[in-house]
């Protein structure tokens, strides 16, 4: 009891020194509280957002692994492309292969797939729309050819079908695993469900007239076309349209138009540039069900005989397949990655998620802020510990005579050291309470201000990159050049025009706005950590005080004072 009473008396007796130590501890604690709150908030934001986000993923071929396995023995070390093509062809997954992993036991919430075939214009059918808004009248069975076709074919007849190598794109309806499809005038895109059509290859679209087709056999032959294609060919809901097989112009397909849609994107140039096929143009996309493609035999497991621009006969897939798995949270996605590998998925395949990749890239500002907060936390605690130890040393040296008197009258050195520890603990707890309160009040506005500066710095860097090239960076397919997070498609504010909007367009611009504010509030975990920090600083200072107390000899101290 003597130790506690004497310690409290010393605190009130030396008000200036006690106030100085309280202020220093409060400043250190406030800064540490803000830094710790930011670090914890960044961890929560990362974990909670991915845990509560619907994630889509695909299984694709690992092209780098295939290239490394097909490198030639020559001095150049280049991969054997023929061997690689054979390897890709042998590793292409079928619909049954994909479906064996679409199980709830693998963490899959749902799945869908999109099949894409290519069809050609024919006499008596509809005409494709070119990038300038006009129509192309040279059909597959026409004797007329364009200048580009004359260069590719010397017989003056119809141009030979070409092969387009496909690159896997998650949720974009393109061929997974490097499949190749024949290019025509239109892309015939088949969807397995409403979830599939909500992730259409060309992004969000709005139904202007009619309605989306069904997916059963009773709805085979029903299609929806773009408003641009409908206007160019004067087609209305209820009309029939005819197209031809790209490999056999005598084989035609007739569809019933049950709806007309308009793409939300303003892009009209075919994906791949001005030299790409008109089938790449979003306006020339004809949407239908996979049941319709199955009935026509335009499926990924079927092949067609084609002749390329050089007159070489070859076989190519009648359609490409894109299969997508959907998960409720990243934990289920991680479970899927582990389980499919354990179930026998080969090393030449990889599971990728564009959602996870985009979210990871969107976390760059908050990760930079978290790194700054960790550095601030380390620096503040280090400086605080040093200052507190130095003040304790000066305090002990100033009170040397007091220590000599106490030990001379019989008070043990351990009790004297304990008295200083109690003083330090009382002062530290007061400073801790003041600092935590100030830090809790300032953590949210300070963290959001710092995050805003990080986001602004990222935008500035992007703008500098654009200025370096003297123009905006090249936009993604179907996105206007320079369109970013503030565009209508990515801001989350859908146009309110009373029309049915279908599809959920996902791109890197929307992901970059995933975290605009940081909820860096002080919770019980933060309070617990700060209490441990306060006790740690007190223990460190008390140990230093104990060392000095133990070194002092009371008789020598009194003799020196005399």
């Amino acid at each position: 009891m003597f130790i506690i009473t004497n310690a409290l008396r010393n605190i009130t007796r030396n008000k200036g020194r006690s106030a100085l130590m309280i202020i220093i501890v409060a400043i250190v604690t406030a800064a540490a509280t803000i830094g710790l709150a930011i670090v914890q908030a960044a961890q929560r934001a990362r974990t909670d957002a991915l845990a509560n986000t619907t994630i889509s993923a695909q299984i694709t071929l690992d092209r780098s692994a295939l290239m490394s396995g097909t490198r030639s023995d020559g001095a150049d070390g280049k991969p054997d492309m023929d061997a690689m093509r054979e390897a890709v062809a042998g590793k292409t997954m079928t619909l049954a292969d994909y479906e064996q992993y679409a199980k709830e036991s693998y963490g899959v919430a749902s799945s869908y797939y999109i099949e894409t075939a290519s069809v050609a214009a024919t006499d008596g059918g509809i005409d494709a729309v070119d990038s300038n808004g006009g129509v192309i009248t040279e059909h597959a069975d026409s004797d007329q050819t364009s200048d580009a076709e004359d260069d590719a074919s010397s017989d003056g007849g119809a141009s030979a079908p070409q092969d387009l190598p496909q690159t896997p794109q998650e949720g974009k309806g393109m061929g997974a695993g490097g499949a190749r499809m024949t290019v025509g005038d239109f892309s015939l895109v088949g969807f397995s469900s409403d979830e599939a059509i909500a992730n259409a290859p060309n992004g969000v679209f709005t139904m202007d007239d009619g309605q989306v087709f069904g997916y059963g056999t009773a709805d085979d032959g029903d299609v929806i076309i773009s408003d641009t294609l409908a206007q160019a060919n004067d087609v209305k809901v209820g009309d029939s349209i005819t197209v031809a097989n790209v490999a056999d112009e005598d084989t035609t397909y007739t569809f019933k138009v049950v709806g007309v849609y308009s793409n939300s994107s303003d892009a009209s140039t075919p994906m791949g540039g001005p030299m790409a096929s008109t089938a790449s143009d979003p306006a020339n996309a004809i949407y239908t069900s996979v049941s319709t493609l199955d009935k026509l035999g335009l499926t990924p497991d079927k092949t067609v005989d084609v002749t390329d621009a050089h007159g070489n006969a070859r076989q190519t897939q009648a359609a490409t397949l894109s299969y997508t798995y959907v998960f409720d949270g990243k934990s289920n996605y991680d479970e899927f990655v582990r389980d499919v590998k354990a179930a026998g998925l080969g090393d030449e395949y990889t599971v990728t998620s564009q959602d996870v990749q985009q979210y990871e890239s969107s976390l760059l500002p908050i990760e930079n802020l978290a790194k700054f907060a960790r550095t601030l936390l380390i620096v503040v605690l280090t400086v605080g510990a040093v200052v507190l130890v130095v003040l304790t040393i000066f305090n002990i040296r100033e009170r040397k005579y007091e220590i000599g008197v106490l030990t001379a009258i019989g008070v043990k050195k351990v009790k004297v050291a304990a008295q200083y520890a109690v003083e330090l603990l009382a002062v530290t707890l007061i400073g801790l309470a003041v600092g935590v309160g100030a830090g809790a009040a300032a953590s949210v506005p300070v963290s959001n201000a710092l995050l805003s500066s990080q986001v602004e710095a990222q935008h500035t860097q992007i703008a500098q990159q654009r200025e370096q090239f003297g123009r905006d960076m090249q936009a993604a397919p179907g996105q206007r050049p320079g369109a970013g997070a503030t565009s209508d498609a990515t801001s989350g504010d859908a146009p309110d025009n009373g029309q049915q909007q279908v599809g959920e367009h996902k791109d890197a611009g929307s992901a970059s706005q995933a975290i605009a504010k940081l909820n860096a509030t002080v919770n019980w975990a933060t309070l617990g950590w700060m209490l441990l920090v306060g006790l740690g600083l007190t223990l460190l200072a008390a140990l230093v005080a104990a060392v000095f107390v133990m070194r002092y000899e009371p008789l020598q101290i009194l003799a020196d004072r005399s």
Side-chain angles (χ1 to χ4, degrees), residues 346-362:
D347 294 336
E348 65 273 19
Y349 300 99
T350 181
V351 181
T352 58
S353 172
Q354 207 171 38
D355 295 327
V356 174
Q357 293 170 358
Q358 289 175 354
Y359 189 82
E360 292 287 344
S361 64
S362 74

Side-chain angles (χ1 to χ4, degrees), residues 138-162:
E138 292 84 1
H139 300 153
D141 56 352
S142 174
D143 292 335
Q144 299 176 358
T145 58
S146 64
D147 294 338
E149 290 167 340
D150 290 336
D151 294 337
S153 178
S154 59
D155 57 2
S159 63
Q162 301 176 11

Side-chain angles (χ1 to χ4, degrees), residues 38 41-43 45-46 362-371 451 454-455 515 517-518:
I38 292 175
Q43 293 174 345
R46 181 186 186 92
S362 74
L363 290 177
L364 183 60
I366 196 173
E367 287 180 350
N368 291 337
L369 180 58
K371 290 179 182 178
L451 179 60
Q454 289 290 336
V455 173
I515 299 179
K517 292 185 178 180
L518 198 61

Side-chain angles (χ1 to χ4, degrees), residues 94-167:
T94 64
L95 179 60
D97 294 331
Y98 287 113
E99 289 179 336
Q100 68 175 326
Y101 300 116
K103 300 177 182 178
E104 188 176 351
S105 59
Y106 289 145
V108 179
S110 62
S111 62
Y112 62 88
Y113 61 97
I114 301 173
E115 295 178 353
T116 305
S118 185
V119 290
T122 185
D123 282 344
I126 58 173
D127 297 316
V129 178
D130 64 16
S131 59
N132 297 319
V135 295
I136 300 175
T137 57
E138 292 84 1
H139 300 153
D141 56 352
S142 174
D143 292 335
Q144 299 176 358
T145 58
S146 64
D147 294 338
E149 290 167 340
D150 290 336
D151 294 337
S153 178
S154 59
D155 57 2
S159 63
Q162 301 176 11
D163 287 342
L164 175 67
Q166 299 296 310
T167 302

